[in-house]
Amino acid sequence: MIPKDFQEATAERIFEIFRDEGQNHILLADEVGLGKTIIASDVISKVAEWHRIEKNDDFFKVIYICSNINIASQNCRKLGIAAEDCLHVSDSRLSMQHLRIYQTDGSEHNYEQLIPMTPATSFSMTGGQGIQEERALIFVLLRRFRDFSHVRKHLNQLFQMDPKLRRWDEIVNYYEMQVTECNRVNPVYVSDMIDALETVFKENEVLYNNILGLCRTRDVFSIPYRERSDAINKLRRIFAQISLDKLNPDLVIMDEFQRFKELITPQDTESGMLSQKFLHDSTVKVLLLSATPYKPYTTLEELALGEEGHYKEFTDVMDFLLYDSVRRTRFHHVWSDYSHRLSELKTDDFTALIASKNDAECAMYQCVCRTERLTDSLIDRSKACEMESVSDGDISSYLELQALMDRLGLGRFPIDYVKSAPYLMSFMNYKVKDQICRRLEDDGDCKDTLSSQTMLLRRSRINRYEKIPCNNARLQLLFDEAFGQGRNGAELMLWIPADRPYYKTDNVFSRNAGYSKTLVFSSWEMVPRMIAGLTSYEAERLTIGRINNRDEAGKKRYFAEESKRRAVSRRLRDETQEVVTYPSRYLAELYQPLSYIDQTIRTIHAALEKQIEARIKDLSKHVFFSYKESGGAGQLLELLRLLDGELDTGKLEVVSRSAASLLADMAIGGPGVCALRILGDADLAAAVAGKFISLFSRPEAMAAMDVLYPSGDYYENVIRYCAAGNLQAVLDEYVFTLNLSGKELADAMSAAFITTATTQIETRESFQYGSKKSGLRTHFAVGYYDARISEKSVQRTENIRAAFNSPFRPFVLATTSIGQEGLDFHTYCRKIIHWNLPANPIDLEQREGRINRYLCHAIRQNLAESEYGNAPFSGPVWPEILRRAVAKLKPGHSDLIPFWCLPDDFPFTRKIERIVPMYPYSQDHEKYNRLLEVLSLYRLTLGQPRQEELLDTIRKSNWDLTQLKRLYINLSPYTRLSKL
């Protein structure tokens, strides 16, 4: 992505600081969502070119440190990382980097190399034995060293740790091949590693002899686990240090720096090793990326409790940045003078205060850059209000749980749990549930728990697709948002409507025009699981349950019978599957969307059907076939092949009288045909279209189809549904957001389809009889909360992110703080629900920054529904909409408009909806108002020791906000250059 003007100005400023001012530690603190990664990519290019030309560097290495693997995966392409350099869980540990370094050094490589790392994996040194892959690589190298070569069998057992590990030998063999191949292309690899080990063990013969002694034990597995684990941990540290010694980066980038600020204060950990090696070496260039590098606001109460406050964190960060003692001393002197004048804040001394502020700003500008949005007019705050839908179930949920707590003598039940989730005994995994279960087991009386209608879900009711009372006002509000209060049939949509449809329809998609996915943030891990399970169940109940009411004889059940898998009939297979995915060039060329823009689908269908009938009639002059009421999918395929110009094989015998009508629908919205128009390659198009087969083969999708089309062949109904859903417009918009081409585009499109998962819950039946828990399927809504570091969990969360950023399901994503920083969820989402309000006001900005980003859903919807989205179009719709908006809106502004913001006087039709569901008579109102107040003024209190007192002074003085804004610190290179 080419940097926008304000991004280019920032990248150029950072480059100048590195090159001309001799300052090697810089903080890029742009507001959330303004593309810090794009700026970092431009900085890499500029600094790399400088090193190549002026420093004669032949290999430019960048270490990219981010807070988790999902962020690393997301930002790889933005930073221009080659596929082979992308981070994988299995080889990301710092102790394993030596292999990657020698692999790259020994082969042809690009001038620029980026090594991604994450603290949770690359720097994880918790005193344990590490992951299998890490131990396997160490073992493969160590068995080549000195006497270890004579005790290989026992050395293998030492590193295996657990004799039951199934894949251990497979992993060892893999890394043996990796080491052997690396040594082939880079013959010094093994010898260098042996030399490094020789140096280490000469200094620590005790460790060498200790490990050798363990390996001479007859049964290594009988040695106490802790003793073996400690020995391996010491070896992990050794190999981590060896890797560090080999890295020698030219630039270190730390993304979302606030997540691991401990790196600037070295400790005896892998993180500390990294910190000592790079971050406290003033010769290494370090770029910190963070919208909130320090706690932005601290209350007097927090200070009284001894919590580390904003001022301490601010000075720690500035001291790290200003490692030169002269610059650091000058900064503290200038900042102290500014703080003193600001604390007095007198109108008669305002000129002197402004001058002092300017000095402080200049001192900070030597190592910090920050750009902020021009306006927040895109935010709709009207839904941050008290809920009206509080039910008897909400009240009963608390009363029944508290009565149980009283009977068991367990004290008060956490009220915030009750406000956050219904059926708490089904979803909680917290200590309070453990306490309840233990007391009930000791007490032997579970009658009140089992008879309660609010504590536990009933498996039997779920199995019959009965309506489950929400018993929680927040959940009811979510249902109203996601399902449109049951008015428009949102549960029948498998993708959200196109923001700029190509033709007019009157169906479930047109009735849901402007629909948005919903992002939910909660403080509690149980909430994403609850939302994912119950919201997806509701979507099934509204479809499968509706069919059950229509067909008493063929009623479906939610759960499979005991010891049986849930039976799913596959309706798209063989010829029917091939028809749906068929990438017909004839049909792709026949229908050109821009030629029929804004006509009704009925009109377009009639015109295409007429042309297809004429083509079939011409075909009949050369090919013999007969017309019948039904011809079947196989015969339709033969017809398609002939229409595409293939040679007649004599297989076409029958053409259905309705074939032209079906082919017209296929031309308009057939998945294979739509994909072919985009990709131009039949094989890639068929592969992408194949994902629609899995989509339409899911029970919830088949149920939606059966509701809309009670009769007819399923594959024909699928094609009709795709045409009704403006699929070409949907996919074209999606392709525009991806900004990819060729196979990379096809792979990204294919990644948009996520498989159904399950979340395990306690039911009344499992609680009563001790049977296994039940699984609620998640598809309409999913939870994004698994912080475990494993190949499986990382892949799942990455799949969730890709699917949510597509037009396809899931339509609701519920997460915790794990989704709060660094990840993009903006492509098809403009609704955000703060299920629980955060403690810190900046967390509110961080959350909303997930959807308030570059060309976010709200921006695209507004542009499409304004004059810029009017027909006719001379080329692809979305690039032209954007060109029109830039030409009209951009003059006099930075590129923030229209890519991130729209002018205050724009005729808004859609906005980012901030939804804060507040309970009546709760403290939610006071907490929310306090968050807003701090957000409006915290920029003024930047770097001040007693922020709350300063805000009180401002309130009492009744200062005009316009005048106060002159005191805001301006660190934006673009803005500062514009004022020159």
Side-chain angles (χ1 to χ4, degrees), residues 237 243 277 325 422 470 533 645 649 694 702 723 761 773 905 943 960:
R237 290 175 180 271
S243 292
K277 176 70 178 179
S325 59
C470 281
T649 61
S694 61
M702 290 189 286
I761 63 162
K773 295 182 178 181
D905 60 353
D960 179 70

Side-chain angles (χ1 to χ4, degrees), residues 564-621:
K564 290 184 180 180
R565 294 190 64 181
R566 186 173 182 236
V568 178
S569 60
R570 189 176 177 89
R571 301 190 198 176
L572 294 175
R573 60 199 319 172
D574 304 327
E575 290 95 344
T576 60
Q577 173 176 327
E578 198 170 345
V579 169
V580 173
T581 61
Y582 191 83
S584 170
R585 291 198 178 276
Y586 165 67
L587 295 179
E589 293 167 3
L590 177 67
Y591 170 58
Q592 296 298 317
L594 297 187
S595 300
Y596 297 89
I597 197 77
D598 290 342
Q599 296 184 26
T600 67
I601 189 173
R602 187 185 298 273
T603 302
I604 298 170
H605 184 276
L608 296 179
E609 184 178 4
K610 187 175 181 180
Q611 294 179 62
I612 295 169
E613 284 175 342
R615 180 68 182 271
I616 294 174
K617 187 175 181 180
D618 287 341
L619 191 64
S620 68
K621 298 174 182 178

Side-chain angles (χ1 to χ4, degrees), residues 235-363:
L235 287 169
R236 290 173 62 212
R237 290 175 180 271
I238 288 171
F239 277 85
Q241 187 61 58
I242 292 173
S243 292
L244 280 173
D245 292 339
K246 306 292 183 184
L247 278 173
N248 298 320
D250 297 284
L251 176 64
V252 176
I253 297 175
M254 297 178 65
D255 201 353
E256 296 299 338
F257 158 71
Q258 74 282 357
R259 283 290 190 99
F260 35 93
K261 285 179 288 192
E262 70 277 1
L263 292 181
I264 68 174
T265 53
Q267 302 171 9
D268 185 24
T269 61
E270 259 186 319
S271 300
M273 292 165 63
L274 176 92
S275 176
Q276 291 281 23
K277 176 70 178 179
F278 305 132
L279 307 186
H280 289 267
D281 181 349
S282 61
T283 64
V284 177
K285 298 176 183 64
V286 179
L287 177 61
L288 308 181
L289 311 181
S290 176
T292 53
Y294 28 72
K295 190 174 184 178
Y297 186 82
T298 310
T299 65
L300 291 174
E301 182 182 6
E302 289 172 329
L303 291 174
L305 293 173
E307 294 185 24
E308 190 169 281
H310 161 79
Y311 184 69
K312 173 66 166 56
E313 291 189 8
F314 172 79
T315 54
D316 283 348
V317 170
M318 293 306 299
D319 285 349
F320 169 75
L321 294 170
L322 297 169
Y323 51 85
D324 179 78
S325 59
V326 175
R327 289 182 176 179
R328 184 167 60 242
T329 300
R330 181 179 180 279
F331 172 79
H332 282 297
H333 173 75
V334 171
W335 198 263
S336 177
D337 178 67
Y338 168 58
S339 296
H340 176 72
R341 292 181 183 274
L342 184 63
S343 65
E344 296 180 351
L345 206 64
K346 297 178 180 178
T347 53
D348 58 354
D349 200 23
F350 197 70
T351 302
L353 176 58
I354 290 293
S356 180
K357 188 273 295 190
N358 290 339
D359 288 342
E361 186 176 276
C362 289

Side-chain angles (χ1 to χ4, degrees), residues 6 10 14 26-37 39-40 254-258 287-294 314 317-318 321 364-365 367-373 842 845-846 938-939 942 969 971-973:
F6 70 93
T10 300
I14 292 171
I26 303 173
L27 169 63
L28 171 57
D30 281 12
E31 189 179 349
V32 177
L34 294 188
K36 290 182 286 294
T37 310
I39 297 172
M254 297 178 65
D255 201 353
E256 296 299 338
F257 158 71
Q258 74 282 357
L287 177 61
L288 308 181
L289 311 181
S290 176
T292 53
Y294 28 72
F314 172 79
V317 170
M318 293 306 299
L321 294 170
M364 199 169 179
Y365 191 60
C367 59
V368 182
C369 295
R370 178 177 171 87
T371 298
E372 298 180 352
R373 284 178 175 80
I842 303 309
E845 283 192 351
Q846 280 285 357
Y938 81 88
R939 290 171 178 82
L942 172 69
I969 299 292
L971 302 172
S972 167

Side-chain angles (χ1 to χ4, degrees), residues 748-765:
M749 293 174 71
S750 297
F753 299 84
I754 195 172
T755 56
T756 298
T758 58
T759 183
Q760 298 298 312
I761 63 162
E762 191 88 73
T763 63
R764 181 185 186 278
E765 291 83 349

